[in-house]
Amino acid sequence: MSKVWQWFLDPVHWQGPGGVPTRVWEHVWISLLSVAAATLVGLPIGLWTGHTGRGGNLAVNLANIGRAIPSYAILVMVLPISLALAPTLGYSPNLGLSFIPTFTAMVLLAIPPILVNAHAGLLAVDRDLIESARGMGMKETQILGRIEVPLALGVIVGGFRTAVLNVIATATIGAIVSFGGLGRFIIDGRLRGIAGIPELIAGAILVTVLAVGVDLLLGGLQKRMTPRGVGIAVNQRAEGAESPAA
Amino acid sequence: MRLTGARHYQEDTKMRLNRLPILLAALSLLLLACGSDGGGARPTVRIGSDNFYESRLMAEIYAQILENDGYTVERTFGLGSRQERAPVFSDGQVDLVPEYVGSGLGYYDVSQITGDGATNRDRLQASIAEFATVLGITPGEDTNAGVVRQDTADELGIDSMSDLAAIQDQLRWGIPPDCVENPLCKGALEQYGITYPPAQLESLAACDVPIAEALNGDAVDFAWLCSTQPAIVQYGFVVLADDLDTQPAENIAPLVRNDFLDKVSDADDFKALLDAASALMTTEELTTLGVAIAVDQREVDEVAKEWLTSKGLLG
């Protein structure tokens, strides 16, 4: 452990393109971007299936298949495809080498919890409430926006937290395809053998601190966004949903 | 405490019962061996390998030769890189591993490495004499090599590492992250007048799939590969000549632990078995077998068996 301390205390590891601040920043932006993209895809589908009650099983099962494929496998499967498509689609082959495989793997990892929680959160909303709203003449979009989403918000944000946590921990594999991020320390440390073990452990600690820190931040946010009292009731009913700590 | 005592007793009986068939199998093997060869202890060989196809292939070849001669083999292949596998071997968790004599020597003392395989073998032997023996080397070798695409070689008119210094900044380099502290990588590049690190650099593990894909997909122009790597044949890459001889001779040899050899009644016979196979493994054969495994996706044990049979080594 003292060697890990020495690693952290060495100013060389805190400077330049290979330093901790740069790597943290790379790690944070790929994670944010992946979760944002996954939200754009997963949230509307989850809200639609949860609201209408149609296609829910199909969507949830498809999302879960995505979750079952290891991110590493997605990474190496996407790599040759994204490289081969670069000339046709006109993007830089370097994007095809590192960014696209990492981003794809992370988006596919983040979609399932977001989609499944949105779906389960809406399903858990009391049917009587929705029928009353319909009886009062509210439109479907109003029911969704004013009743279902606010009541299910705690569960929806919970899915989002799970996604963020998973992505931050897993984005480390991007280093295999030359993407930066905190995985660089882990992969490089591993390749350097025994001499690289302090670097490897330091990388793992940084990832853990980042993941737990961001999760606590989102946890605080989640508490604020859930209406008092409602959150507890909704969370209790949404038993099929992901718990953020999973 | 009483409970644990009872459980221990149960486990003991179970284990004894489990051991019975193994004991019988071992006994019958012993009898068989006595029948065919007129005696000689054949202890179980625990064979290890690094985690890539060529090391697995050599380990599998050793395994099949020994099995054919009546040894029982325990395979623990894929022990990681040399940095991870070497301690497993020196701690005595496996008895036999394939090793590249240049880099293997470099693991103990980089300054001793030469361009001659036999010299590297002898020096490696001296480094590990305390606990292990280096058997005969293959004539074939697999060294690290700078590789470019055919179109890059044609356009820029390059065919050797010396041609690179002048055009360093035009190229996008695919170099392993551990290059910086490896005298055979960073040191070699610097001998060729290449400034490390190059301006356009992608960190990709040497001899791996992503680095070969990156070169083929035009994400890098130069890649640090292995000279028998199947991707070179598969994609028609050009291996740049190492005209300053920076890379050590990397012939392959089995390393055997001495405490294991002591248990074998006829150690010379054991060595001769493996030496016979090593003597027939050329660079071309290594490349061909590598293509069969990595490109044609055939099983390592099948490829090993076919090669051994074709050489008449399983007779």
Side-chain angles (χ1 to χ4, degrees), chain A residues 82-83 86-87 91-98, chain B residues 172 214 217-220:
Chain A
S82 58
L83 278 170
Y91 57 81
S92 148
N94 293 64
L95 283 181
L97 169 65
S98 48
Chain B
R172 293 160 302 163
D218 195 24
V220 294

Side-chain angles (χ1 to χ4, degrees), chain B residues 34-58:
Chain B
C34 288
S36 58
D37 287 315
R42 281 174 166 63
T44 299
V45 200
R46 297 167 303 164
I47 304 184
S49 86
D50 289 5
N51 193 20
F52 68 103
Y53 74 94
E54 198 170 72
S55 184
R56 284 172 186 270
L57 170 71
M58 292 310 295

Side-chain angles (χ1 to χ4, degrees), chain B residues 52-54 57 142 207-209 212 225-237 286-297:
Chain B
F52 68 103
Y53 74 94
E54 198 170 72
L57 170 71
D142 180 6
C207 310
D208 204 358
V209 174
L225 301 183
C226 282
S227 61
T228 61
Q229 195 166 338
I232 296 175
V233 177
Q234 188 182 6
Y235 297 129
F237 294 152
L286 279 174
T287 309
T288 313
L289 299 181
V291 170
I293 295 164
V295 181
D296 305 339
Q297 305 281 318

Side-chain angles (χ1 to χ4, degrees), chain A residues 1-8 20 172 182-210:
Chain A
M1 277 319 278
S2 70
K3 284 194 176 158
V4 178
W5 261 123
Q6 281 167 21
W7 191 93
F8 277 115
V20 172
T172 45
L182 294 170
R184 211 52 283 160
F185 298 124
I186 297 175
I187 301 283
D188 295 0
R190 198 194 77 86
L191 281 171
R192 293 171 55 213
I194 290 172
I197 288 176
E199 183 181 4
L200 192 158
I201 296 176
I205 291 174
L206 286 167
V207 174
T208 313
V209 168
L210 183 65

Side-chain angles (χ1 to χ4, degrees), chain B residues 29 41 95 103 129 138 153-154 161 164 179-180 187 195 201 224 235 247 271 279 283 285 289 299 307:
Chain B
L29 256 175
D95 305 308
S103 299
T138 57
D154 294 343
M161 290 291 292
L164 294 176
C179 185
V180 61
T195 317
L201 172 71
W224 194 242
Y235 297 129
Q247 295 307 306
K271 292 177 190 169
T283 304
E285 308 249 6
L289 299 181
E299 296 295 330
W307 184 79

